[in-house]
Amino acid sequence: MLDSLTGLPNRANFRQRLTQAMRRATLNSSKVVLGLMDLDRFKLINDTLGHAAGDEVLRLTAHRLSECLASSDTVARMGGDEFALIFTDVAEAASTERILTRIRQAFSAPFLLEDQEIYVHWSLGLTIFPDDADQSEALLTQADTAMYRAKRAGGGHAFFNVQHDRRTPAEMTLLTGLHHALERCEFRLHYQPIIHAVTGVVAGYEALIRWEGPDGLVSPAEFIPLAEVSGLIVPIGQWVLREAVRTAALIPLGHIAVNVSPWNSPSRISSSTLRGCCAKKTLTPAGCCWKSLRTACSTLAVLRMYFRTCARWGAGGTG
């Protein structure tokens, strides 16, 4: 079971290898270090150089990571620009420093794409079996949490730390479910009317996300903060935009307001993302998206980005 682009083990293969590594570590009284790596600002490469260049960066990344690891270790592609690492036969966390040093050195040199130098930066979250957890899902959640802490710190690596990444059992269960919510199609958008304060006329609608989990509705007050600290708010925010555009194409609701988290910064929801949402539903950004789809931004920087996007599309504002 290999990833067709990079030739690395795919997600299913990775999970099998992680389970086997944990079993061997239990028998040998050793440790396993699990790492999740995300390429920082990878979308910028796709947007500026094209998807073919992005695919080549992923292949080159896979090659460099493979050269850094021992033969008993594993590097896998989890999907997109995310890679997973399994370090086996580890005596203590400090033992991984040699490998981490090799990874830093490997990525200090640029990738060469058609005579253009591309520097790739990464964020890596690490957790230890059995010290931090003894179940694979818990380890993955911990590594993911540590990775986004490293990303917020500007990149590099971070080990899961119970003081920095403390989660109650209920939060850990919720976070695990949140990881699967998108692929299981558990999110819904509800459209709340926006009433004009003077005329009482419906001026538009606000798109509100709801999560219908296996045990029923989960309050946004519970899952939005977890999504933000784990980094899952990014794909969730992109899904909300796509779904709002889909609704705008099917139902003439007029203006639709979409709330955007500060974590969905200009580098994460770019003009190409918004343009792509519209193109898939045969909407013109100037004629429909920005006159039917409003965005309530949480930060001034993001708001300015949207205004610039409108200007480039010729929309002349948000409608």
Side-chain angles (χ1 to χ4, degrees):
M1 295 181 288
L2 301 179
D3 174 61
S4 59
L5 178 65
T6 63
L8 295 177
N10 61 15
R11 181 186 291 267
N13 192 335
F14 159 78
R15 287 181 176 272
Q16 290 182 1
R17 293 183 180 217
L18 177 59
T19 299
Q20 293 168 1
M22 292 164 60
R23 288 173 180 165
R24 286 197 302 270
T26 301
L27 293 174
N28 301 334
S29 298
S30 60
K31 303 179 190 297
V32 174
V33 175
L34 167 65
L36 288 181
M37 174 185 282
D38 186 75
L39 303 186
D40 298 334
R41 296 176 292 278
F42 176 73
K43 182 170 175 54
L44 185 61
I45 296 175
N46 276 335
D47 289 348
T48 56
L49 300 179
H51 288 280
D55 288 346
E56 183 63 15
V57 167
L58 292 174
R59 283 190 287 265
L60 292 172
T61 296
H63 178 70
R64 289 193 184 184
L65 287 175
S66 298
E67 288 190 326
C68 293
L69 272 60
S71 58
S72 59
D73 298 333
T74 295
V75 55
R77 184 183 176 214
M78 300 294 277
D81 61 335
E82 187 176 61
F83 295 83
L85 309 174
I86 302 174
F87 306 136
T88 58
D89 301 322
V90 176
E92 55 186 15
S95 304
T96 63
E97 184 55 39
R98 178 174 51 85
I99 299 175
L100 294 173
T101 298
R102 288 208 299 266
I103 292 175
R104 284 192 293 268
Q105 292 173 345
F107 283 86
S108 64
F111 294 138
L112 190 62
L113 299 178
E114 296 182 356
D115 298 327
Q116 183 169 354
E117 291 185 343
I118 303 295
Y119 286 89
V120 174
H121 302 278
W122 45 269
S123 299
L124 173 64
L126 301 151
T127 187
I128 305 172
F129 168 88
D131 298 11
D132 296 322
D134 58 5
Q135 299 295 319
S136 59
E137 286 297 329
L139 289 166
L140 284 165
T141 299
Q142 290 171 346
D144 197 55
T145 301
M147 179 183 71
Y148 278 99
R149 177 157 53 82
K151 188 178 289 289
R152 292 195 298 274
H157 76 276
F159 277 91
F160 177 78
N161 184 298
V162 69
Q163 292 182 333
H164 290 98
D165 307 313
R166 186 182 301 277
R167 295 280 183 274
T168 65
E171 286 178 324
M172 292 294 286
T173 300
L174 197 65
L175 190 56
T176 299
L178 198 58
H179 274 273
H180 299 295
L182 273 176
E183 61 189 56
R184 293 174 180 170
C185 301
E186 293 176 351
F187 289 119
R188 304 286 185 271
L189 285 188
H190 292 187
Y191 295 91
Q192 176 175 277
I194 300 172
I195 309 299
H196 195 287
V198 177
T199 65
V201 174
V202 175
Y205 292 84
E206 180 180 7
L208 302 175
I209 189 170
R210 295 293 181 262
W211 178 16
E212 298 179 8
D215 299 322
L217 281 173
V218 182
S219 170
E222 293 183 57
F223 74 82
I224 292 296
L226 277 178
E228 290 185 330
V229 299
S230 68
L232 290 172
I233 195 66
V234 175
I236 290 173
Q238 293 173 344
W239 175 86
V240 169
L241 280 174
R242 291 194 299 269
E243 183 65 14
V245 169
R246 188 187 70 84
T247 299
L250 295 174
I251 307 172
L253 293 178
H255 293 297
I256 299 177
V258 177
N259 295 294
V260 176
S261 165
W263 290 106
N264 280 323
S265 62
S267 64
R268 293 192 177 276
I269 295 185
S270 64
S271 59
S272 63
T273 300
L274 299 171
R275 190 191 302 272
C277 288
C278 295
K280 290 179 180 178
K281 295 301 173 184
T282 64
L283 299 175
T284 60
C288 184
C289 182
W290 286 105
K291 296 195 177 189
S292 295
L293 180 65
R294 289 175 176 264
T295 306
C297 301
S298 303
T299 64
L300 183 59
V302 180
L303 184 61
R304 286 172 177 165
M305 186 275 292
Y306 284 120
F307 286 153
R308 288 197 300 270
T309 300
C310 290
R312 285 198 298 271
W313 283 346
T318 57

